Amino acid sequence: MPGGQALTALIVLLALVFPMSIVAGNKKKAAAPAKPAEAPKPQIDVTKLAWPGPPNIPRVRYVSYFAGMKLDTTPASEQPKQKSSWMDRLAGTTPENRKGAPKPIPFQLLSPFGAAVNSKGELFVADQKVGAIFIFNTETKDTTLIRNGFEATFGLVNGIAIDDDDRIFITDGKLHRVLILDKNQKVVDQIKEGLIDPVGIAIDTENRLLYVADTQADQVVVFDPDTLKLLRRIGTGGKKHELTDPGDFSGPTGVALDKDNNLYVTDTMNYRVEIFDAEGKFISQFGRHCDGPGCFAHPKGIAVDSDGHIWVADPMLDILQSFDRDGQLLAFIGGHGNMLGQFSSLVGVSIDKKTNRIFTSEQYPGRVQEFRYITDAEAEQLKKEKAELHQTKSAQSTKPPETGNSTAAAQTVVATPEAKK
């Protein structure tokens, strides 16, 4: 075939093939189904989360939760890509603000245990796995840390207590001590005398007593929080968790105080709560072992509210229970799960008596939940308002309907002979 004819044939062939390919490509794009719109995620109205539920008068309301700084869960494929300049492309490099700049790691709770609130309302949480103390602004959710190896040195942080001067007392089971920080979160002292495995901690600011539950020693050790001297021990030590007598312990974990400075201790392996006066004398006990509300399976955290009710956290049952001093069950919240108001390995409870806020710490998935305790006086007022509303509705439902000729009817009555007499 001559060269001119061959060239002409090639041009015709290209004109026929490429438009068809382009059209075919456009058809494929046009035929691609539209991506369905994602269904809106269900929203939970947390203002209606209360225990017990309607029609009962609520005693606890859900408020919020804390897990650390917000995680960026956006997949890498959906992360915004920064464009490189023509000089970067020419040199085969990445922009300076991306090269060697690791993604910031958020501060996340992994295994929170003890918690306490200072005079500013800030929430302090001891995280055993992170090895740090988280400080949450409960209003803004801003988060800072007291870090191991920087602001302090930690082994295994357990409990936290804060005194009236905002000094922070932190129990450390691995380093066998109580570390003391001032209100500016600077380390100022420590207590190491006679401690094996300090866990729970509480401060009697009136009588100047510092209580530390030593789980392995089966004792509650009492110190002077100012001089840091050992004052006394409650319970018999050295018996390897074998004692069950009133006043003795088998693996005590949590300690708490009421408004009269009586001491409450979770005697974990004896499935009970023991109560002592400020002199360390045994008063009473309550609790029994079973796997339902009103019982204990593994009681750990403990706190006392402004009305004197005792709240106990149980990680085996994953419920937070409220008792009176006789051990009568008053209320409970929770259950296994990760939903709001549920728990997963519930180990700690702390109550801010000034604001009636309850903070619970659970180790999986690593979060602290905040609740609002409805006091006895508030509950009584709610009950009164409910009764008044019921009476108003009942009166309205029994009231005879008014007729349109009520004025005429009244005139008719006046005009009757009996009325004239």
Coordinates of all heavy atoms in Angstrom, one line a residue, residues 166-248:
D166 N -5.7 22.5 98.6 CA -5.5 22.0 97.2 C -4.2 21.2 97.1 O -3.7 21.1 95.9 CB -5.6 23.1 96.2 CG -7.0 23.4 95.8 OD1 -7.9 22.6 96.1 OD2 -7.3 24.5 95.2
R167 N -3.6 20.7 98.2 CA -2.5 19.8 98.0 C -3.0 18.4 97.5 O -4.1 18.0 97.9 CB -1.8 19.5 99.4 CG -1.0 20.7 99.9 CD -0.2 20.3 101.1 NE -1.1 19.9 102.2 CZ -0.6 19.2 103.2 NH1 0.7 18.9 103.4 NH2 -1.5 18.9 104.2
I168 N -2.2 17.8 96.7 CA -2.7 16.6 96.0 C -1.9 15.4 96.6 O -0.6 15.4 96.6 CB -2.4 16.7 94.5 CG1 -3.1 17.9 93.9 CG2 -3.0 15.4 93.8 CD1 -2.5 18.4 92.6
F169 N -2.6 14.4 97.1 CA -2.0 13.2 97.7 C -2.3 12.0 96.7 O -3.5 11.7 96.4 CB -2.6 12.9 99.0 CG -2.2 13.9 100.1 CD1 -2.9 15.2 100.1 CD2 -1.3 13.7 101.0 CE1 -2.6 16.1 101.0 CE2 -1.0 14.7 102.0 CZ -1.6 15.9 102.0
I170 N -1.2 11.4 96.2 CA -1.4 10.3 95.2 C -0.8 9.0 95.7 O 0.4 9.0 96.1 CB -0.7 10.7 93.9 CG1 -1.2 12.0 93.4 CG2 -0.9 9.6 92.8 CD1 -0.4 12.7 92.3
T171 N -1.6 7.9 95.8 CA -1.0 6.6 96.2 C -0.4 5.9 95.0 O -0.9 6.0 93.9 CB -2.1 5.7 96.8 OG1 -3.2 5.6 95.9 CG2 -2.7 6.3 98.1
D172 N 0.8 5.3 95.3 CA 1.5 4.6 94.3 C 1.9 3.2 94.8 O 2.7 3.1 95.7 CB 2.8 5.4 93.9 CG 3.5 4.9 92.7 OD1 3.6 3.7 92.5 OD2 3.9 5.8 91.9
G173 N 1.2 2.2 94.2 CA 1.4 0.9 94.7 C 2.8 0.3 94.3 O 3.3 -0.5 95.1
K174 N 3.3 0.6 93.2 CA 4.6 0.1 92.8 C 5.8 0.7 93.6 O 6.8 0.0 93.9 CB 4.8 0.3 91.3 CG 6.0 -0.4 90.7 CD 6.1 -0.3 89.2 CE 7.3 -1.0 88.6 NZ 7.3 -0.9 87.1
L175 N 5.7 2.0 93.8 CA 6.8 2.7 94.6 C 6.5 2.7 96.1 O 7.2 3.3 96.8 CB 6.9 4.1 94.0 CG 7.3 4.2 92.5 CD1 7.5 5.7 92.1 CD2 8.6 3.4 92.3
H176 N 5.4 2.1 96.5 CA 5.1 1.9 97.9 C 5.0 3.2 98.7 O 5.6 3.3 99.8 CB 6.0 0.9 98.6 CG 6.4 -0.2 97.8 ND1 5.5 -1.2 97.4 CD2 7.6 -0.5 97.2 CE1 6.2 -2.1 96.6 NE2 7.4 -1.7 96.5
R177 N 4.3 4.2 98.2 CA 4.4 5.5 98.8 C 3.1 6.4 98.5 O 2.3 6.0 97.6 CB 5.6 6.3 98.3 CG 5.5 6.8 96.9 CD 6.8 7.5 96.5 NE 6.7 8.0 95.1 CZ 7.6 8.7 94.5 NH1 8.8 8.9 95.1 NH2 7.4 9.1 93.2
V178 N 3.0 7.5 99.2 CA 2.1 8.5 98.9 C 2.9 9.7 98.5 O 3.7 10.2 99.2 CB 1.2 8.9 100.1 CG1 0.3 10.0 99.7 CG2 0.3 7.7 100.5
L179 N 2.7 10.2 97.2 CA 3.4 11.3 96.7 C 2.5 12.6 97.0 O 1.3 12.5 96.8 CB 3.6 11.2 95.2 CG 4.6 12.2 94.6 CD1 6.0 12.0 95.2 CD2 4.7 12.0 93.1
I180 N 3.2 13.7 97.4 CA 2.4 14.9 97.7 C 2.9 16.0 96.8 O 4.1 16.3 96.7 CB 2.7 15.3 99.2 CG1 2.3 14.1 100.1 CG2 1.9 16.5 99.6 CD1 2.8 14.2 101.5
L181 N 1.9 16.7 96.2 CA 2.1 17.8 95.3 C 1.4 19.1 95.9 O 0.4 18.9 96.6 CB 1.6 17.6 93.9 CG 2.4 16.6 93.0 CD1 2.4 15.2 93.5 CD2 1.9 16.7 91.6
D182 N 2.0 20.2 95.7 CA 1.3 21.4 96.1 C 0.2 21.9 95.2 O -0.1 21.2 94.2 CB 2.3 22.6 96.4 CG 3.0 23.0 95.1 OD1 2.5 22.7 94.0 OD2 4.1 23.7 95.2
K183 N -0.5 23.0 95.4 CA -1.6 23.4 94.6 C -1.1 23.8 93.2 O -2.0 23.8 92.3 CB -2.3 24.6 95.2 CG -1.4 25.8 95.4 CD -2.2 26.9 96.1 CE -1.4 28.2 96.2 NZ -2.2 29.3 96.9
N184 N 0.2 24.0 93.0 CA 0.7 24.3 91.6 C 1.2 23.0 90.9 O 1.9 23.1 89.9 CB 1.8 25.3 91.7 CG 1.3 26.6 92.3 OD1 0.3 27.1 91.9 ND2 2.0 27.2 93.2
Q185 N 0.9 21.9 91.5 CA 1.2 20.6 91.0 C 2.7 20.3 91.0 O 3.3 19.6 90.1 CB 0.6 20.3 89.6 CG -0.9 20.3 89.6 CD -1.5 21.2 88.7 OE1 -1.1 21.3 87.5 NE2 -2.6 21.9 89.1
K186 N 3.4 20.8 92.0 CA 4.9 20.6 92.1 C 5.1 19.6 93.3 O 4.4 19.7 94.3 CB 5.6 21.9 92.4 CG 5.4 23.0 91.4 CD 5.9 22.7 90.0 CE 5.8 23.8 89.1 NZ 6.2 23.5 87.7
V187 N 5.9 18.6 93.1 CA 6.2 17.7 94.1 C 6.9 18.3 95.3 O 7.9 19.1 95.1 CB 7.1 16.5 93.6 CG1 7.5 15.5 94.7 CG2 6.4 15.8 92.4
V188 N 6.3 18.1 96.5 CA 6.9 18.7 97.7 C 7.3 17.7 98.7 O 8.2 18.0 99.6 CB 5.9 19.7 98.3 CG1 5.7 20.9 97.4 CG2 4.5 19.1 98.6
D189 N 6.7 16.5 98.7 CA 7.1 15.5 99.8 C 6.5 14.1 99.4 O 5.8 14.0 98.4 CB 6.6 15.9 101.1 CG 7.6 15.6 102.3 OD1 8.2 14.6 102.2 OD2 7.6 16.5 103.2
Q190 N 6.8 13.2 100.3 CA 6.2 11.8 100.1 C 6.1 11.1 101.4 O 6.8 11.5 102.4 CB 7.1 11.0 99.1 CG 8.5 10.7 99.7 CD 9.3 9.8 98.8 OE1 8.8 9.3 97.8 NE2 10.6 9.6 99.1
I191 N 5.3 10.1 101.5 CA 5.2 9.2 102.7 C 5.5 7.8 102.2 O 4.9 7.3 101.3 CB 3.8 9.2 103.2 CG1 3.3 10.6 103.6 CG2 3.7 8.3 104.5 CD1 1.9 10.8 104.1
K192 N 6.5 7.2 102.9 CA 6.9 5.8 102.5 C 6.9 4.9 103.7 O 7.0 3.7 103.6 CB 8.3 5.8 101.9 CG 8.4 6.5 100.6 CD 9.6 6.1 99.8 CE 9.5 4.6 99.3 NZ 10.5 4.2 98.3
E193 N 6.7 5.5 104.9 CA 6.8 4.7 106.1 C 5.7 3.7 106.2 O 4.5 4.0 106.3 CB 6.8 5.6 107.4 CG 6.9 4.9 108.7 CD 6.8 5.8 109.9 OE1 6.6 7.0 109.7 OE2 6.8 5.3 111.0
G194 N 6.1 2.4 106.3 CA 5.1 1.3 106.6 C 4.1 1.1 105.5 O 3.0 0.5 105.8
L195 N 4.3 1.4 104.3 CA 3.4 1.2 103.2 C 3.8 0.1 102.3 O 5.0 0.1 101.9 CB 3.1 2.5 102.4 CG 2.4 3.6 103.2 CD1 2.3 4.8 102.3 CD2 1.0 3.1 103.6
I196 N 2.9 -0.8 101.9 CA 3.3 -1.9 101.0 C 2.6 -1.7 99.7 O 3.2 -1.6 98.6 CB 2.9 -3.3 101.6 CG1 3.6 -3.6 102.9 CG2 3.2 -4.4 100.6 CD1 3.1 -4.8 103.7
D197 N 1.2 -1.6 99.7 CA 0.4 -1.5 98.5 C -0.7 -0.4 98.7 O -1.8 -0.8 98.8 CB -0.1 -2.8 98.1 CG -0.9 -2.8 96.8 OD1 -0.6 -1.9 96.0 OD2 -1.8 -3.6 96.6
P198 N -0.3 0.8 98.8 CA -1.3 1.9 99.1 C -2.3 2.0 97.9 O -1.8 2.2 96.7 CB -0.5 3.1 99.3 CG 0.8 2.9 98.6 CD 1.0 1.4 98.7
V199 N -3.6 2.0 98.1 CA -4.6 2.2 97.0 C -5.5 3.3 97.3 O -5.3 4.4 96.9 CB -5.3 0.8 96.8 CG1 -6.3 1.0 95.7 CG2 -4.3 -0.3 96.5
G200 N -6.6 3.1 98.1 CA -7.6 4.1 98.4 C -7.0 5.1 99.4 O -6.1 4.8 100.2
I201 N -7.5 6.4 99.3 CA -7.0 7.4 100.2 C -8.1 8.5 100.4 O -8.9 8.7 99.5 CB -5.7 8.1 99.5 CG1 -5.1 9.1 100.5 CG2 -6.1 8.7 98.2 CD1 -3.7 9.6 100.0
A202 N -8.1 9.0 101.6 CA -9.1 10.0 102.0 C -8.5 10.9 103.1 O -7.7 10.4 103.9 CB -10.4 9.4 102.5
I203 N -9.0 12.2 103.2 CA -8.4 13.1 104.1 C -9.6 13.7 105.0 O -10.5 14.2 104.5 CB -7.7 14.3 103.4 CG1 -6.5 13.8 102.6 CG2 -7.2 15.3 104.4 CD1 -5.8 14.8 101.8
D204 N -9.4 13.6 106.3 CA -10.3 14.2 107.3 C -9.6 15.6 107.6 O -8.7 15.7 108.4 CB -10.3 13.4 108.5 CG -11.2 14.0 109.6 OD1 -11.5 15.2 109.5 OD2 -11.4 13.3 110.7
T205 N -10.1 16.7 106.9 CA -9.5 18.0 107.1 C -9.8 18.6 108.4 O -9.1 19.5 108.9 CB -10.0 18.9 106.0 OG1 -11.4 19.0 106.0 CG2 -9.6 18.4 104.6
E206 N -10.8 18.1 109.1 CA -11.2 18.7 110.4 C -10.3 18.1 111.5 O -9.7 18.9 112.3 CB -12.6 18.4 110.7 CG -13.1 19.0 112.1 CD -14.6 18.7 112.3 OE1 -15.3 18.3 111.4 OE2 -15.0 18.9 113.5
N207 N -10.1 16.8 111.6 CA -9.3 16.2 112.6 C -7.9 16.0 112.1 O -7.1 15.4 112.9 CB -9.9 14.8 113.0 CG -11.3 15.0 113.6 OD1 -11.5 15.7 114.6 ND2 -12.3 14.2 113.1
R208 N -7.6 16.4 110.9 CA -6.2 16.3 110.3 C -5.7 14.9 110.4 O -4.7 14.5 111.0 CB -5.2 17.2 111.1 CG -5.6 18.7 111.2 CD -6.1 19.3 109.9 NE -5.0 19.3 108.9 CZ -5.2 19.6 107.6 NH1 -6.5 19.8 107.2 NH2 -4.2 19.6 106.8
L209 N -6.5 14.0 109.6 CA -6.1 12.6 109.5 C -6.1 12.2 108.0 O -7.0 12.6 107.3 CB -7.2 11.7 110.2 CG -7.3 12.0 111.7 CD1 -8.5 11.2 112.3 CD2 -6.0 11.6 112.5
L210 N -5.1 11.5 107.6 CA -4.9 11.0 106.3 C -5.1 9.4 106.3 O -4.3 8.8 107.0 CB -3.6 11.4 105.7 CG -3.3 10.8 104.3 CD1 -4.2 11.4 103.3 CD2 -1.8 11.1 104.0
Y211 N -6.1 8.9 105.7 CA -6.4 7.5 105.7 C -5.9 6.9 104.4 O -6.2 7.3 103.3 CB -7.9 7.2 105.8 CG -8.4 7.6 107.2 CD1 -9.1 8.8 107.3 CD2 -8.4 6.8 108.3 CE1 -9.7 9.2 108.5 CE2 -8.9 7.2 109.5 CZ -9.6 8.4 109.6 OH -10.1 8.8 110.8
V212 N -5.1 5.8 104.5 CA -4.6 5.1 103.3 C -4.9 3.6 103.4 O -4.5 2.9 104.4 CB -3.1 5.2 103.1 CG1 -2.6 4.5 101.9 CG2 -2.7 6.7 103.1
A213 N -5.7 3.1 102.4 CA -6.0 1.6 102.4 C -4.8 0.9 101.8 O -4.5 1.1 100.6 CB -7.2 1.4 101.6
D214 N -4.1 0.0 102.6 CA -3.0 -0.8 102.1 C -3.6 -2.2 101.9 O -3.7 -3.0 102.8 CB -1.9 -0.8 103.2 CG -0.6 -1.3 102.6 OD1 -0.7 -2.3 101.9 OD2 0.5 -0.8 102.9
T215 N -3.8 -2.5 100.6 CA -4.5 -3.7 100.2 C -3.7 -4.9 100.6 O -4.3 -5.9 101.1 CB -4.8 -3.7 98.7 OG1 -5.5 -2.5 98.4 CG2 -5.5 -4.9 98.3
Q216 N -2.4 -5.0 100.3 CA -1.7 -6.2 100.7 C -1.4 -6.3 102.2 O -1.3 -7.5 102.6 CB -0.3 -6.1 99.9 CG -0.5 -6.3 98.4 CD -1.2 -7.6 98.0 OE1 -0.9 -8.6 98.5 NE2 -2.1 -7.4 97.1
A217 N -1.4 -5.2 102.9 CA -1.2 -5.3 104.3 C -2.4 -5.6 105.1 O -2.4 -5.9 106.3 CB -0.6 -4.0 104.8
D218 N -3.6 -5.6 104.4 CA -4.9 -5.8 105.1 C -5.1 -4.8 106.2 O -5.7 -5.1 107.2 CB -5.0 -7.2 105.6 CG -5.2 -8.3 104.5 OD1 -5.7 -7.9 103.5 OD2 -4.7 -9.4 104.7
Q219 N -4.7 -3.5 106.0 CA -4.9 -2.5 107.0 C -5.2 -1.2 106.3 O -5.0 -1.0 105.2 CB -3.6 -2.4 107.8 CG -3.2 -3.5 108.6 CD -1.9 -3.3 109.4 OE1 -1.0 -2.8 108.8 NE2 -1.9 -3.7 110.6
V220 N -5.8 -0.3 107.2 CA -5.9 1.1 106.8 C -4.9 1.8 107.7 O -5.0 1.8 108.9 CB -7.3 1.6 107.1 CG1 -7.4 3.2 106.9 CG2 -8.3 1.0 106.1
V221 N -4.0 2.5 107.1 CA -2.9 3.2 107.8 C -3.3 4.7 107.9 O -3.7 5.3 106.9 CB -1.6 3.0 107.1 CG1 -0.4 3.5 107.9 CG2 -1.3 1.6 106.7
V222 N -3.1 5.2 109.1 CA -3.5 6.6 109.4 C -2.3 7.5 109.7 O -1.4 7.1 110.5 CB -4.4 6.7 110.6 CG1 -5.0 8.1 110.8 CG2 -5.6 5.6 110.5
F223 N -2.2 8.6 108.9 CA -1.1 9.5 109.0 C -1.6 10.9 109.4 O -2.8 11.2 109.2 CB -0.3 9.6 107.7 CG 0.3 8.4 107.2 CD1 -0.4 7.5 106.4 CD2 1.6 8.0 107.6 CE1 0.2 6.3 105.9 CE2 2.2 6.9 107.2 CZ 1.5 6.0 106.3
D224 N -0.7 11.8 109.9 CA -1.0 13.2 110.0 C -0.6 13.8 108.7 O 0.5 13.7 108.2 CB -0.1 13.8 111.1 CG -0.4 15.2 111.4 OD1 -0.5 16.0 110.4 OD2 -0.5 15.6 112.6
P225 N -1.6 14.5 108.0 CA -1.3 15.0 106.7 C -0.4 16.2 106.7 O 0.1 16.6 105.6 CB -2.7 15.4 106.2 CG -3.5 15.7 107.4 CD -3.0 14.7 108.4
D226 N -0.1 16.8 107.8 CA 0.8 17.9 107.9 C 2.2 17.5 108.3 O 3.2 17.9 107.6 CB 0.2 18.9 108.9 CG -1.2 19.4 108.6 OD1 -1.4 19.7 107.4 OD2 -2.1 19.4 109.5
T227 N 2.3 16.7 109.3 CA 3.7 16.3 109.7 C 4.1 15.0 109.0 O 5.3 14.6 109.0 CB 3.7 16.0 111.2 OG1 2.9 14.9 111.6 CG2 3.3 17.2 112.0
L228 N 3.1 14.3 108.4 CA 3.3 13.1 107.6 C 3.7 11.9 108.5 O 4.2 10.9 108.1 CB 4.3 13.3 106.5 CG 4.1 14.4 105.6 CD1 5.1 14.4 104.4 CD2 2.7 14.4 105.0
K229 N 3.5 12.0 109.9 CA 3.9 11.0 110.8 C 2.8 9.9 110.8 O 1.6 10.2 110.7 CB 4.1 11.6 112.2 CG 5.3 12.4 112.3 CD 5.5 12.9 113.7 CE 6.7 13.8 113.9 NZ 6.9 14.3 115.3
L230 N 3.2 8.6 111.0 CA 2.3 7.5 111.2 C 1.7 7.6 112.5 O 2.3 7.7 113.6 CB 3.1 6.2 111.0 CG 2.3 4.9 111.3 CD1 1.2 4.8 110.3 CD2 3.2 3.7 111.2
L231 N 0.3 7.6 112.6 CA -0.4 7.7 113.8 C -0.9 6.4 114.3 O -0.7 6.0 115.5 CB -1.6 8.6 113.7 CG -1.3 10.1 113.2 CD1 -2.5 10.9 113.1 CD2 -0.3 10.8 114.3
R232 N -1.5 5.6 113.5 CA -2.0 4.3 113.9 C -2.4 3.4 112.7 O -2.4 3.9 111.6 CB -3.2 4.4 114.8 CG -4.4 5.2 114.2 CD -5.6 5.2 115.1 NE -6.7 6.0 114.6 CZ -6.8 7.3 114.8 NH1 -6.0 7.9 115.6 NH2 -7.9 7.9 114.3
R233 N -2.7 2.2 113.0 CA -3.2 1.2 112.0 C -4.5 0.7 112.4 O -4.7 0.3 113.6 CB -2.2 0.1 111.7 CG -0.8 0.6 111.1 CD 0.2 -0.6 111.1 NE 1.4 -0.2 110.5 CZ 1.7 -0.2 109.2 NH1 0.9 -0.7 108.4 NH2 2.9 0.2 108.8
I234 N -5.4 0.5 111.4 CA -6.7 -0.1 111.7 C -6.7 -1.5 111.0 O -6.4 -1.6 109.8 CB -7.8 0.7 111.1 CG1 -7.8 2.2 111.7 CG2 -9.2 0.1 111.4 CD1 -8.8 3.1 111.1
G235 N -7.0 -2.5 111.8 CA -7.0 -3.9 111.3 C -5.7 -4.6 111.6 O -4.7 -4.0 111.9
T236 N -5.8 -5.9 111.6 CA -4.7 -6.8 111.9 C -3.9 -7.2 110.6 O -4.5 -7.7 109.6 CB -5.1 -8.1 112.6 OG1 -5.9 -7.7 113.7 CG2 -3.9 -8.9 113.0
G237 N -2.6 -6.9 110.6 CA -1.8 -7.2 109.4 C -1.1 -8.5 109.4 O -1.1 -9.2 110.5
G238 N -0.6 -9.0 108.3 CA 0.2 -10.2 108.3 C -0.5 -11.5 108.3 O 0.1 -12.5 108.5
K239 N -1.8 -11.5 108.0 CA -2.6 -12.7 108.0 C -3.0 -13.2 106.6 O -3.8 -14.1 106.5 CB -3.8 -12.5 108.9 CG -3.6 -12.2 110.3 CD -2.7 -13.3 111.0 CE -2.5 -13.0 112.5 NZ -1.7 -14.0 113.1
K240 N -2.4 -12.6 105.6 CA -2.6 -13.0 104.2 C -4.0 -13.1 103.8 O -4.5 -14.1 103.2 CB -1.8 -14.3 103.9 CG -0.3 -14.2 104.2 CD 0.3 -15.6 103.9 CE 1.9 -15.4 104.2 NZ 2.6 -16.7 104.0
H241 N -4.8 -12.1 104.0 CA -6.2 -12.0 103.6 C -7.1 -13.1 104.2 O -8.1 -13.5 103.6 CB -6.3 -12.1 102.1 CG -5.3 -11.2 101.4 ND1 -5.1 -9.9 101.7 CD2 -4.5 -11.4 100.3 CE1 -4.2 -9.3 100.9 NE2 -3.8 -10.3 100.0
E242 N -6.8 -13.6 105.4 CA -7.6 -14.7 105.9 C -8.6 -14.2 107.0 O -9.4 -15.0 107.4 CB -6.6 -15.7 106.5 CG -5.7 -16.4 105.5 CD -4.7 -17.4 106.2 OE1 -4.7 -17.4 107.4 OE2 -4.0 -18.1 105.4
L243 N -8.5 -13.0 107.5 CA -9.3 -12.6 108.6 C -10.7 -12.1 108.1 O -10.8 -11.4 107.1 CB -8.6 -11.5 109.4 CG -7.3 -11.8 110.0 CD1 -6.7 -10.7 110.8 CD2 -7.5 -13.0 110.9
T244 N -11.7 -12.5 108.9 CA -13.1 -12.0 108.6 C -13.8 -11.4 109.7 O -14.9 -11.0 109.6 CB -13.9 -13.3 108.1 OG1 -13.9 -14.2 109.2 CG2 -13.3 -13.9 106.9
D245 N -13.1 -11.2 110.9 CA -13.7 -10.6 112.1 C -14.0 -9.2 111.8 O -13.3 -8.5 111.1 CB -12.7 -10.7 113.3 CG -12.4 -12.2 113.7 OD1 -13.3 -13.0 113.4 OD2 -11.3 -12.4 114.2
P246 N -15.0 -8.6 112.5 CA -15.4 -7.2 112.4 C -14.2 -6.4 112.8 O -13.6 -6.7 113.9 CB -16.5 -7.0 113.3 CG -17.2 -8.4 113.4 CD -16.1 -9.4 113.3
G247 N -13.8 -5.4 112.1 CA -12.7 -4.5 112.4 C -11.4 -5.0 111.7 O -10.4 -4.2 111.7
D248 N -11.4 -6.2 111.1 CA -10.2 -6.6 110.3 C -10.6 -6.6 108.8 O -11.8 -6.4 108.5 CB -9.8 -8.0 110.7 CG -9.1 -8.0 112.1 OD1 -8.3 -7.1 112.3 OD2 -9.3 -9.0 112.9

